Amino acid sequence: MRKGSLWVTLVLCVFIVVALSGCGYNTMQKNEEAVKAAWGDVESAYQRRNDLVPNLVEVVKGYAKHERETLTAVTEARAKVGSMQISKDMINDPKAFSQFQEAQAGMTSALSRLMVVVERYPDLKANQNFLDLQHQLEGTENRINVARTRYNEAVQVFNTSIRIFPNSLTNSLLLHLTLKEPFKAEPGAEKAPQVKF
């Protein structure tokens, strides 16, 4: 009897190991960690932009003192972005995620207005410090776009992994993971911007 129960226990253990290897538990954990890492890249890119803005504003202030409204808008947008508490949990809260996106959209808008101001001042455009900052800011905006794209790809992989069978069963029984929010285009982004000379 002892030998028979040992055999049953061994077969049961092998069955459990095989069943768990196909349940997607590890895959879902790996995919969620990829989402968190991609979100960290997004935060890092936004922080880089947030760190560059004060330098850009100071350089522009020296040349465009009478454009206070635009400079104030940039400063206020940066303050709003800086006042938000960013955490890894934000990707699980659609409302907080939306507020974060709105604050970043305000910063992008304010920086766009600042660049229009710059076009009016040829001396500023020729200033080497400003040119360096402008190139860094352009690079940062590109990094933000790349980080958002990678984040959305990670979200797509993760969301798919928790919805397909047998992972969906494992998720509903063990993990209880929720779908992650991807970045969405700003309202009105579907319309081409007007360029006026």
Side-chain angles (χ1 to χ4, degrees):
M1 192 70 172
R2 190 115 162 103
K3 193 173 189 182
S5 68
L6 181 63
W7 182 251
V8 170
T9 303
L10 183 64
V11 169
L12 189 58
C13 287
V14 169
F15 176 75
I16 289 172
V17 168
V18 170
L20 286 177
S21 68
C23 72
Y25 183 90
N26 291 334
T27 300
M28 288 183 284
Q29 296 292 330
K30 180 185 79 161
N31 291 342
E32 185 175 39
E33 289 304 314
V35 169
K36 289 177 184 177
W39 178 249
D41 292 343
V42 170
E43 288 177 329
S44 175
Y46 278 132
Q47 184 62 49
R48 185 175 194 273
R49 176 172 74 175
N50 207 27
D51 293 343
L52 281 174
V53 168
N55 296 325
L56 180 64
V57 168
E58 288 304 314
V59 171
V60 173
K61 270 185 188 177
Y63 282 92
K65 290 181 181 175
H66 53 285
E67 292 290 345
R68 297 234 184 264
E69 183 180 314
T70 301
L71 295 173
T72 301
V74 171
T75 304
E76 288 173 357
R78 181 179 181 274
K80 185 175 181 183
V81 167
S83 70
M84 291 196 72
Q85 296 297 321
I86 301 172
S87 69
K88 298 271 186 231
D89 296 331
M90 183 180 288
I91 59 179
N92 295 322
D93 183 357
K95 184 178 177 185
F97 191 82
S98 176
Q99 290 171 342
F100 177 79
Q101 271 192 282
E102 287 174 22
Q104 293 299 335
M107 177 69 111
T108 300
S109 175
L111 287 172
S112 296
R113 287 190 308 240
L114 182 61
M115 292 303 166
V116 169
V117 167
V118 168
E119 292 297 321
R120 296 182 190 152
Y121 298 99
D123 291 342
L124 179 59
K125 290 190 323 189
N127 179 288
Q128 188 60 44
N129 289 335
F130 178 76
L131 289 175
D132 291 344
L133 285 170
Q134 187 177 17
H135 290 299
Q136 288 183 32
L137 197 57
E138 288 171 2
T140 299
E141 293 299 319
N142 287 336
R143 288 177 186 181
I144 289 170
N145 188 46
V146 168
R148 284 178 179 170
T149 301
R150 288 180 181 161
Y151 171 77
N152 281 350
E153 289 169 357
V155 165
Q156 185 265 328
V157 169
F158 172 77
N159 287 348
T160 301
S161 75
I162 67 170
R163 295 181 67 209
I164 60 173
F165 186 82
N167 296 7
S168 59
L169 186 61
T170 303
N171 186 41
S172 65
L173 295 175
L174 298 175
L175 298 172
H176 310 289
L177 300 172
T178 58
L179 295 173
K180 306 295 184 204
E181 284 291 313
F183 270 98
K184 297 177 180 81
E186 296 172 25
E190 69 279 358
K191 297 177 186 169
Q194 291 184 340
V195 179
K196 295 181 182 177
F197 293 100

